[in-house]
């Protein structure tokens, strides 16, 4: 049996909307993108949403709009994808890394004060903190917001690439909040394997009209008007260049997908949750595989289903384990090598792996299993049987542990 790591759940409504967009003659940023932005802002309880061609673009322009610049410092978790830190470098600022929690991979808020001290010792202005919601479970945003308030209203920019839809609350007596609400900017991804997709795409949300306007202008060459405002029936063709911007706009073709994916977001999340619950039940008896969990004060998006191997109990490492699953037709992924362990940041920041021990340890243990909305119980059973068999075949004997 061949089981892909991910397969997007694209319905007939999405297909029909894309076809209609193609037939309309308006393919680039236009009415469909504006409709997608309006619907998305309402969905995550934000005042404004700005569609872009990637979450990376959204993160970049969020930092730029918040005034991050040359020589500043931005706190970034080391357990994240390349984009979170590279956008800091785009602006000539420096990422200051923070370790993750050992249980769910999210930012360890206990390390924020140390990171702030490090920035001060380097003589840098601490400009922003960028929490990442790992795998679809929101991190401790209450602690992040408290840290920001303590540091003169430090800007908070959420990397919510894994989190649509996802919610959090401070405790059982608090109201549920959508990921992205309450921060300066939140940035979402609609990449092909995300919970909702436009193929490629992203969105920045904010309650600040000035930040939204700045991001919108900078997302299209710094122009005062986009194509829709210039060439639609009630538009005007003249525009002004207000700043040296970028080419980050989202097309109406992509937004045609997004409109209907967003309408199905809760359904798609529930279907992912059902797959996750099957995994949790069927792998519960495999002691050498540690399973993800959902905090009682979180509503998980289940973008990733990340298991942790007890590598001390096995004769193979995670890469070899993933390779053996691939031989059985199962595609997995490895999320991630912590940023401080990549060659660029080793050279640029001078960190050793052990500087952030939780992230370094998780790097040796984690494998992301296939998870997608249309995954069947038969497919889940096949994956679980393959995992159980691989563990049994490569379990250390008592003698080898002495």
């Amino acid at each position: 049996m061949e089981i892909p790591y991910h397969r997007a759940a694209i319905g007939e409504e999405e297909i029909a909307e894309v076809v209609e967009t193609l037939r309309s003659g308006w393919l680039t940023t236009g009415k469909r993108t504006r409709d997608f932005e309006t619907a998305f802002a309402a969905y995550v309880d934000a005042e404004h949403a700005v569609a872009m061609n990637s979450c990376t673009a959204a993160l970049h322009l969020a930092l730029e709009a918040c005034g991050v610049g040359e020589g500043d410092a931005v706190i970034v978790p080391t357990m994240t994808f390349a984009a979170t830190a590279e956008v800091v470098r785009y602006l000539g600022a420096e990422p200051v890394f923070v370790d993750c929690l050992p249980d769910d991979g999210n930012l360890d808020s206990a390390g924020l004060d140390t990171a702030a001290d490090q920035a001060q010792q380097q003589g840098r202005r601490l400009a922003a903190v960028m929490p990442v919601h790992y795998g679809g479970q929101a991190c401790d945003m209450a602690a992040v917001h408290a840290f920001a308030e303590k540091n003169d209203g430090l800007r908070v920019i959420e990397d919510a690439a894994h989190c649509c839809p996802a919610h959090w609350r401070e405790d059982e007596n608090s109201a549920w909040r959508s990921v992205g609400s309450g921060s300066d900017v939140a940035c979402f991804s609609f990449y092909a394997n995300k919970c909702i997709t436009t193929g490629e795409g992203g969105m920045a949300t904010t309650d600040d009209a000035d930040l939204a306007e700045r991001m919108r202008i900078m997302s299209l060459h710094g122009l005062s008007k986009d194509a829709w405002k210039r060439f639609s029936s009630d538009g005007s063709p003249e525009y002004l260049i207000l700043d040296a911007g970028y080419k980050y706009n989202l097309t109406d073709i992509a937004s045609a997908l997004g409109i209907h994916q967003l309408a199905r977001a809760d359904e798609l999340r529930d279907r992912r949750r059902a797959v996750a619950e099957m995994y949790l039940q069927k792998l519960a008896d495999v002691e050498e595989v540690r399973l993800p969990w959902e905090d009682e004060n979180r509503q998980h998006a289940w973008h990733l289903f990340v298991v942790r191997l007890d590598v001390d109990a096995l004769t193979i490492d995670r890469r070899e384990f993933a390779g053996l699953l691939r031989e059985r037709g199962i595609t997995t992924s490895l999320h991630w090598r912590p940023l401080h362990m990549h060659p660029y940041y080793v050279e640029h920041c001078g960190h050793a792996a052990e500087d952030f021990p939780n992230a370094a340890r998780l790097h040796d243990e984690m494998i992301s299993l296939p998870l997608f909305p249309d995954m069947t119980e038969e497919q889940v059973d096949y994956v679980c049987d393959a995992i159980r068999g691989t563990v049994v075949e490569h379990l250390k004997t008592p003698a080898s542990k002495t």
Side-chain angles (χ1 to χ4, degrees), residues 170-284:
E170 192 166 351
D171 54 49
E172 61 183 7
N173 298 314
S174 303
W176 287 103
R177 303 174 65 174
S178 176
V179 163
S181 62
S183 297
D184 292 285
V185 186
C187 301
F188 298 85
S189 173
F190 309 131
Y191 182 65
N193 68 353
K194 295 303 192 296
C195 299
I196 67 171
T197 185
T198 60
E200 295 273 5
M203 191 80 76
T205 63
T206 182
D207 292 335
D208 188 315
D210 291 336
L211 292 179
E213 181 64 11
R214 177 66 179 178
M215 289 187 289
R216 190 175 300 284
I217 288 171
M218 295 300 286
S219 71
L220 191 63
H221 301 298
L223 304 185
S224 58
K225 295 179 181 179
D226 62 19
W228 182 248
K229 290 180 180 178
R230 287 153 49 207
F231 299 119
S232 60
S233 59
D234 58 349
S236 171
E238 188 174 6
Y239 64 86
L240 299 173
I241 298 172
L242 304 179
D243 208 332
Y246 305 90
K247 186 69 169 69
Y248 284 166
N249 57 304
L250 188 69
T251 69
D252 266 20
I253 298 173
S255 294
L257 272 174
I259 289 168
H260 293 286
Q261 286 275 292
L262 181 63
R264 301 170 59 205
D266 290 351
E267 169 209 339
L268 295 174
R269 186 267 321 278
D270 290 346
R271 285 160 60 180
R272 297 177 81 100
R273 179 185 296 277
V275 174
E277 289 175 347
M278 283 191 284
Y279 272 135
L280 292 171
Q281 177 185 355
K282 296 173 186 292
L283 291 174

Side-chain angles (χ1 to χ4, degrees), residues 73-93:
V74 177
I75 296 176
V76 175
T78 188
M79 183 58 75
T80 188
F81 181 58
T84 317
E86 74 189 21
V87 294
V88 177
R89 296 294 301 131
Y90 290 173
L91 295 164

Side-chain angles (χ1 to χ4, degrees), residues 71-73 94-96 115-125 349:
D72 287 342
E94 295 292 336
V96 181
D117 291 342
Q118 181 181 340
Q120 184 177 32
Q121 291 166 8
Q122 294 173 350
R124 301 187 183 279
R125 180 181 76 99
C349 302

